[in-house]
Amino acid sequence: MMHREPMWRAVPALARDPLAALERLGAANDGAIVRLDVGPVRPLLLTSPDHVQLVLRERSSQYVRDGMLWKPLRRLEGDGIAGDGPSWQRSRNLLQPIFTARAVNGVLDAMAGAITDAVAELEADARAGRPVELVEGMTRVVFRALIRAFFADRISTEEAGVLGAAISTAFEALGWRIALPFAPDWLPVPGDLRFRRAVRQIDDIVYPHVQRVRDGGGAGDILSLLVAARDEHGAPLTDRQVRDDVVSMFVAGTEATALTLSWLWMALDAHPDVAARVVEEVDAVVGDATPAPEHLDRLTYTRQVLQETMRLFPAGWIIPRTAAEADVIDGVPIRAGATVLVSPYVMHRLPSVWPDPHRFDPDRFGPSAPRRHRYVFLPFGGGPHQCLGNHLFTAEAQLVVAAVLSRHRPVLVGSGPLVARATAALRPRRPGRLVLRRR
């Protein structure tokens, strides 16, 4: 079954507020495929979890990561884990053992220490009268933790700062390329010059560290594990492949985690009853200790708050796919080359699945919550391309929440309502500034 959204209605609605337009279409056509007539490109929006499962898992080889969003991102992240086909499969096979829960636990102690130090710096900024913008502050904390996980202590503070700024600049500079995915590479668009400079800075830092590890400087961090990995033929990744996968994981890990934590603090600020329960749990589990990996299993309500935050505000709000060949879904013909859209933002707000979908209610993920279709909750995507770093992300986010609340009282200054804007990732429209005060 298919619903066609005519151009006269689709274009103004998407231009005015794409998130609200897609949410309205999802709720009104729950289960139907929606064709958006927006000009030469007429993407198909999926609103049924069965159809989403079909595209992301059962026929994933037929619906590839190409065109919209993926082509511009490949300019930064290469053709490894961010790509598709044989190169992606090889990276996936090599990375999967590195990001299992057991393997990730090996770097969590180092990450916990980095998080504690970074949170203390945010408190020092607040005491000195320098409150930081919320997303920037969370990016600093997350980045410090990921630097420790990927590079151990081999990277200097100065290098880390340059790398973080360059990755942020490169990602932001891709905005026009993402908005114009069909523009040829030779056509200059705004941001190209900044992008090329940022990529050079990234390469000037990452490649020498890859070589140092190859020369015997490994230390059990993720970069060392990636350099040491071998495929089924005993062959290692090339320097370029290591670089691409490191940058891909860094971009995904930094952007998604920092934004989710930013949304979480805004949600707790708007829901003091939920915030009180989180503080009570952190006090009971962590007490006077420093938050550590052994606390994570007992921070159950904190994990529920994190899941509810990702439900309402998934950083990856849109997952486009391109049909590599003609197909039929539920009687609807899909032509080869068609763009198919899966939107976690839409799926997470379907009234038929999530009663009162705009209400922030972490108990939706409590022990007595009803069983749901696997493909109605997609904070990490789904199928073979599901994010490998989901365990690392969840553990890191819990540690950040515990590190803040065990010692501090977070206060938001100048924050607006919980309203999102759609960029490459889902960002708060008015995040405000974060002030950490000692409890």
Side-chain angles (χ1 to χ4, degrees), residues 69 73 171 178 255 315-318 422-426:
L69 181 65
L73 278 179
F171 193 72
I178 290 171
E255 185 82 358
W317 65 278
I318 195 78
T423 63
L426 197 70

Side-chain angles (χ1 to χ4, degrees), residues 30 55 370:
D30 186 11
V55 166

Side-chain angles (χ1 to χ4, degrees), residues 9 12 34 68 210 217 224 248 291 363 388 391 416:
R9 191 161 56 201
V34 180
M68 178 183 176
V210 174
S224 302
S248 297
D363 287 324
L388 280 171
H391 179 72

Side-chain angles (χ1 to χ4, degrees), residues 47 131 359:
T47 66
R359 180 167 53 90

